[in-house]
Amino acid sequence: MGDWLPEPTRAQMSLDAVLHALSDSHRRRIVAMLAADVEQRRTCTSFGLPLAKSTRTHHFRVLREAGVVRQWDAGNAKLNVLRVDDLDARFPGLLQAILAAEPRVG
């Protein structure tokens, strides 16, 4: 596994930052796709988002800096995983509520 990118600890995660990160439909789609993926390790380009690379990078940075996803370098790519345990421990029920409100993704 490559180097982890900076992220807040569980205790440092703030509700304001998490809600801001989840306020964007593209970022909610990323979260829903990570939650639906059994492997839960995906590159930033594997989401099929119709966005410029710089915009995708911005969305993943917002999610990572809020503590919603964990990212690490894997060669020329960045792998992503949803921080389910940390989100559930810090904000019980929030992730499930967000996912329930989102259309199903595959």
Side-chain angles (χ1 to χ4, degrees):
M1 208 177 289
D3 294 328
W4 295 102
L5 297 177
E7 64 186 38
T9 65
R10 180 184 289 179
Q12 292 171 329
M13 293 167 67
S14 81
L15 184 58
D16 288 344
V18 170
L19 289 177
H20 168 72
L22 297 174
S23 69
D24 181 88
S25 63
H26 293 297
R27 293 192 291 260
R28 285 193 310 274
R29 179 169 173 77
I30 291 167
V31 168
M33 291 176 80
L34 284 171
D37 191 286
V38 176
E39 189 67 18
Q40 290 193 357
R41 292 180 183 156
R42 296 183 62 164
T43 64
C44 297
T45 58
S46 71
F47 292 86
L49 298 172
L51 304 169
K53 181 180 178 183
S54 61
T55 304
R56 277 196 319 264
T57 298
H58 166 75
H59 286 306
F60 280 99
R61 181 180 52 79
V62 169
L63 288 168
R64 178 178 47 80
E65 289 179 351
V68 177
V69 301
R70 176 167 286 140
Q71 279 189 318
W72 63 96
D73 290 321
N76 291 333
K78 287 188 177 28
L79 291 177
N80 299 275
V81 64
L82 187 61
R83 292 178 64 184
V84 176
D85 291 343
D86 290 331
L87 288 165
D88 286 346
R90 186 81 169 109
F91 310 109
L94 177 64
L95 183 58
Q96 293 79 7
I98 295 295
L99 293 172
E102 279 300 295
R104 296 269 180 204
V105 295

